[in-house]
């Protein structure tokens, strides 16, 4: 098992940022109403469903 | 979260049943991710750690695609934020539909993925999403991802550079396929065109990894500017 300190820090940074995005929805659940341009901008954020075969994608 | 055992079993079985196709589909992607990550210089232990702590396939792909040594921490964190910003909306949408306490949500939302979110949204159309259903789904998906990426890392160490087999192009193909499924609206086409053009220019003149974040920001700005405003909708 080998670890590089900078790599570990990068992984931790990615993990923290990802977790923040995941729980942030709890805080905005009652407050966020997206419409118009703001909705379009949010929709443009890449929805990376890269594991999902189209035949099994839920509707 | 307290259930009669029959309800518990039924919910667990439903979660396992629903997530099975996605889990199976994730195996080759995980193997490939591990193999390419090893080729980029990460150790198998680091790859498993990344999958275990980040657990976000898209962000991990983007990170590995642009990975250099020493790792550009700020750039990777920023790119991760841009790619995973969609989780904010997913969490906001899912929060009122899932039967969990506030604390349980803080724990369980670590496992939000496109798949678990989409399946939960679908289930919420006709019944509440229980904690058992959620845990059954995400446990399979999580273990599946960590194990398959780890296996890919170990196998990749023996196979050598995936580029020799052309396997490194799988990432690019994956994203092209993803973009092709976005639709054909004017806003989408402008967004994709601007994002691609900016990413290509930045990659040519500045180099990796900046093209990822630049393309994403340009695409978001293009979508904002090209979408009709509220006054146009009225």
């Amino acid at each position: 098992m080998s670890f590089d300190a900078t790599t570990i820090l990068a992984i931790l940074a990615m993990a923290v940022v990802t977790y923040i995005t995941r729980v942030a929805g709890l805080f905005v659940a009652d407050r966020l109403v997206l419409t118009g341009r703001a909705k379009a901008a949010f929709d443009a954020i890449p929805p990376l469903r890269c594991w999902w075969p189209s035949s099994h994608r839920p509707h | 979260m307290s259930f009669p055992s029959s309800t518990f079993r039924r919910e667990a079985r439903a979660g396992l049943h629903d997530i099975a196709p996605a889990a199976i589909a994730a195996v080759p992607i995980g193997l490939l991710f591990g193999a390419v990550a090893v080729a980029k210089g990460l150790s198998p232990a680091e790859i498993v750690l990344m999958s275990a702590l980040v657990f976000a396939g898209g962000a991990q792909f983007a990170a590995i695609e642009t990975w250099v040594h020493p790792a550009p921490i700020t750039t990777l964190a920023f790119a991760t934020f841009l790619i995973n910003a969609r989780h904010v909306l997913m969490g906001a949408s899912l929060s009122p539909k899932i039967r969990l306490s506030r604390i349980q949500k803080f724990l369980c939302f670590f496992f939000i993925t496109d798949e678990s979110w989409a399946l939960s949204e679908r289930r919420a159309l006709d019944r509440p999403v229980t904690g058992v259903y959620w845990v059954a789904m995400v446990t399979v998906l999580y273990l599946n991802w960590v194990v398959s990426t780890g296996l890919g890392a170990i196998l990749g160490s023996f196979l050598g550079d995936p580029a020799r087999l052309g396997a490194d192009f799988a990432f690019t193909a994956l994203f092209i396929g993803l973009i092709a499924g976005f639709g054909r609206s004017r806003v989408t086409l402008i967004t994709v065109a601007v994002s691609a053009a900016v990413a290509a220019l930045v990659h040519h003149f500045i180099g990796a990894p900046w093209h990822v974040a630049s393309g994403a920001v340009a695409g978001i700005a293009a979508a904002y500017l090209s979408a009709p405003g509220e006054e146009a909708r009225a």
Side-chain angles (χ1 to χ4, degrees), chain B residues 108-199:
Chain B
C108 288
F109 275 29
F110 167 81
F111 299 95
I112 284 183
T113 61
D114 294 331
E115 294 76 16
S116 54
W117 169 78
L119 287 166
S120 298
E121 288 286 337
R122 185 177 64 174
R123 190 167 178 82
L125 292 175
D126 52 13
R127 73 198 85 183
V129 179
T130 61
V132 176
Y133 176 82
W134 176 262
V135 169
M137 265 197 321
V138 298
T139 301
V140 171
L141 209 52
Y142 180 78
L143 293 177
N144 186 63
W145 179 246
V146 173
V147 170
S148 62
T149 53
L151 272 177
I154 293 165
L155 294 174
S157 306
F158 295 109
L159 290 174
D161 186 3
R164 276 191 313 119
L165 308 170
D168 59 323
F169 185 71
F171 285 156
T172 309
L174 206 67
F175 287 105
I176 291 172
L178 185 74
I179 289 168
F182 276 180
R184 301 285 182 275
S185 74
R186 185 184 67 89
V187 174
T188 301
L189 292 175
I190 292 172
T191 301
V192 171
V194 170
S195 180
V198 169

Side-chain angles (χ1 to χ4, degrees), chain B residues 84-97:
Chain B
N84 288 337
R86 69 194 190 286
H87 288 151
V88 178
L89 281 187
M90 289 181 186
S93 162
L94 190 59
S95 179
K97 297 168 188 158

Side-chain angles (χ1 to χ4, degrees), chain B:
Chain B
M1 240 190 338
S2 118
F3 294 97
S5 62
S6 61
T7 307
F8 182 95
R9 277 198 300 271
R10 190 178 65 237
E11 289 293 308
R13 210 165 29 236
L16 295 175
H17 174 269
D18 288 352
I19 202 64
I24 292 167
V27 171
I29 303 293
L31 291 172
L32 182 64
F33 172 80
V36 176
V38 157
K40 284 278 187 172
L42 275 75
S43 71
E46 289 166 343
I47 292 164
V48 169
L49 186 72
M50 183 192 282
S51 291
L53 294 183
V54 180
F55 185 47
Q60 290 180 235
F61 285 142
I64 288 302
E65 184 74 11
T66 57
W67 199 274
V68 288
H69 285 282
I73 297 172
T74 308
T75 306
L76 287 170
F78 183 56
T80 300
F81 172 76
L82 287 176
I83 291 168
N84 288 337
R86 69 194 190 286
H87 288 151
V88 178
L89 281 187
M90 289 181 186
S93 162
L94 190 59
S95 179
K97 297 168 188 158
I98 192 163
R99 281 185 178 171
L100 291 171
S101 69
R102 187 85 171 163
I103 298 224
Q104 287 170 335
K105 284 180 185 173
F106 269 96
L107 292 173
C108 288
F109 275 29
F110 167 81
F111 299 95
I112 284 183
T113 61
D114 294 331
E115 294 76 16
S116 54
W117 169 78
L119 287 166
S120 298
E121 288 286 337
R122 185 177 64 174
R123 190 167 178 82
L125 292 175
D126 52 13
R127 73 198 85 183
V129 179
T130 61
V132 176
Y133 176 82
W134 176 262
V135 169
M137 265 197 321
V138 298
T139 301
V140 171
L141 209 52
Y142 180 78
L143 293 177
N144 186 63
W145 179 246
V146 173
V147 170
S148 62
T149 53
L151 272 177
I154 293 165
L155 294 174
S157 306
F158 295 109
L159 290 174
D161 186 3
R164 276 191 313 119
L165 308 170
D168 59 323
F169 185 71
F171 285 156
T172 309
L174 206 67
F175 287 105
I176 291 172
L178 185 74
I179 289 168
F182 276 180
R184 301 285 182 275
S185 74
R186 185 184 67 89
V187 174
T188 301
L189 292 175
I190 292 172
T191 301
V192 171
V194 170
S195 180
V198 169
L201 286 171
V202 170
H203 188 269
H204 182 73
F205 289 109
I206 300 174
W210 297 103
H211 62 297
V212 176
S214 306
V217 170
I220 291 167
Y224 181 82
L225 295 173
S226 61
E230 285 306 289
E231 64 283 359
R233 288 164 183 266

Side-chain angles (χ1 to χ4, degrees), chain A residues 14-38:
Chain A
M14 288 174 64
V16 169
V17 167
T18 302
Y19 182 67
I20 288 171
T21 63
R22 282 173 167 148
V23 295
L26 295 174
F27 295 103
V28 298
D30 300 327
R31 300 180 183 85
L32 190 66
V33 181
L34 286 177
T35 55
R37 287 182 164 165

